[in-house]
Amino acid sequence: MIDLSDIRKHPNIIEDIERSTLRMVTQAIYDYRTLAQNIFKAEFDPVSDIGEDITREALDRLGMSRIDQRLFGKIDYKRARYLFHPEYTVRQALFIDSKSEKIKGRSTATLQLSQISMEIRQKRSGKEVQIKGMIPEVIDSEGVKYITTTIFVKYNYVREETQGVNELKSITIAAVPNGMLQDLYNPNSEDTIWLAGRNAPSRGEEFRVRLSFKRLKAKAPWRVQEIPMPPAEFQWSS
């Protein structure tokens, strides 16, 4: 069992944990993609609810280890679990959030501070911004530590107005770096994976930020995977 008290000194292990987790989530969603496409066409619930349901059903179908520990946060799917690696075991607090958006917005995902453990370092209106995310990098519950891993699943669809249905075109899955990897992915406001969020401070709206899939992929291609709809084949981006 990894001692998480000094895990910050081993960024390669943190990356390994997140890569392994992304593979699991990607496999679950890929296996479910045909059903996901059919559900988007058949359901008339809000698309955000449809995406959440699909992610939950896909992960439940695949299955995973479970630790009896309740997690809190504004994220759709939360699970305390064991991650088993050939060389170690680690307790993980896994957070998976789902987004559904028309395909023109496929290049980004809008996130809240309550869904991020990194510090947001960027420029807004010419001014440098540094705001810390609200998820702990490592969650400590009664002396037991869990490394935080955050995955986002983005459902990209088009609205077929003539038929009155939503057609799922692709699914983007991204692993957001743990805050302990800050210097690798967002060391300063110039070197960043973030874009300005869709919030208006003048109206008192909650701070949001957009994760740029292009920028994240440029840092580490494996962190962003795009699953096409059948019959197209999926290839892991490494």
Side-chain angles (χ1 to χ4, degrees), residues 9-212:
K9 299 176 183 177
H10 304 283
N12 59 313
I13 294 179
I14 302 172
E15 293 249 286
D16 197 29
I17 290 169
E18 294 183 345
R19 186 185 294 109
S20 176
T21 304
L22 182 64
R23 278 191 180 276
M24 179 201 67
V25 176
T26 300
Q27 186 68 58
I29 300 298
Y30 174 79
D31 289 346
Y32 208 76
R33 65 176 182 160
T34 300
L35 270 174
Q37 191 176 41
N38 294 336
I39 290 170
F40 256 84
K41 282 185 178 180
E43 293 287 339
F44 294 96
D45 290 338
V47 289
S48 58
D49 293 345
I50 294 173
E52 291 174 17
D53 289 345
I54 290 171
T55 298
R56 187 177 300 106
E57 290 167 13
L59 291 165
D60 287 347
R61 171 187 278 195
L62 182 69
M64 69 178 76
S65 64
R66 190 184 199 108
I67 299 175
D68 189 17
Q69 171 62 50
R70 186 173 177 81
L71 300 176
F72 299 92
K74 293 182 178 180
I75 292 194
D76 305 331
Y77 188 95
K78 302 177 282 288
R79 173 69 61 85
R81 71 175 196 129
Y82 290 110
L83 186 149
F84 299 103
H85 185 275
E87 297 182 5
Y88 56 78
T89 300
V90 64
R91 293 184 183 90
Q92 180 185 52
L94 176 58
F95 296 93
I96 304 174
D97 202 61
S98 302
K99 309 285 183 184
S100 298
E101 193 172 352
K102 290 182 178 179
I103 200 164
K104 65 180 181 180
R106 68 190 299 177
S107 61
T108 64
T110 301
L111 314 180
Q112 302 176 37
L113 290 176
S114 58
Q115 300 172 320
I116 306 167
S117 65
M118 294 183 73
E119 182 174 78
I120 309 303
R121 298 175 183 174
Q122 62 175 183
K123 286 188 176 181
R124 290 196 177 193
S125 302
K127 296 181 180 179
E128 290 196 0
V129 172
Q130 292 190 11
I131 301 180
K132 179 65 176 157
M134 297 170 62
I135 295 182
E137 297 163 353
V138 174
I139 293 175
D140 190 322
S141 178
E142 299 179 354
V144 179
K145 292 181 172 61
Y146 303 80
I147 189 167
T148 296
T149 303
T150 307
I151 306 290
F152 284 88
V153 183
K154 178 79 175 291
Y155 296 91
N156 308 301
Y157 71 95
V158 295
R159 176 70 177 176
E160 299 289 353
E161 297 295 349
T162 55
Q163 301 179 41
V165 298
N166 298 314
E167 184 174 350
L168 186 60
K169 291 295 186 180
S170 65
I171 306 170
T172 306
I173 308 175
V176 181
N178 184 287
M180 292 183 283
L181 300 174
Q182 184 80 45
D183 291 341
L184 290 175
Y185 289 93
N186 183 204
N188 54 60
S189 61
E190 300 289 341
D191 188 355
T192 183
I193 58 175
W194 309 107
L195 299 171
R198 296 167 180 157
N199 64 293
S202 60
R203 295 201 296 267
E205 292 181 352
E206 185 177 358
F207 181 90
R208 288 182 175 83
V209 67
R210 284 183 297 153
L211 173 66
S212 168

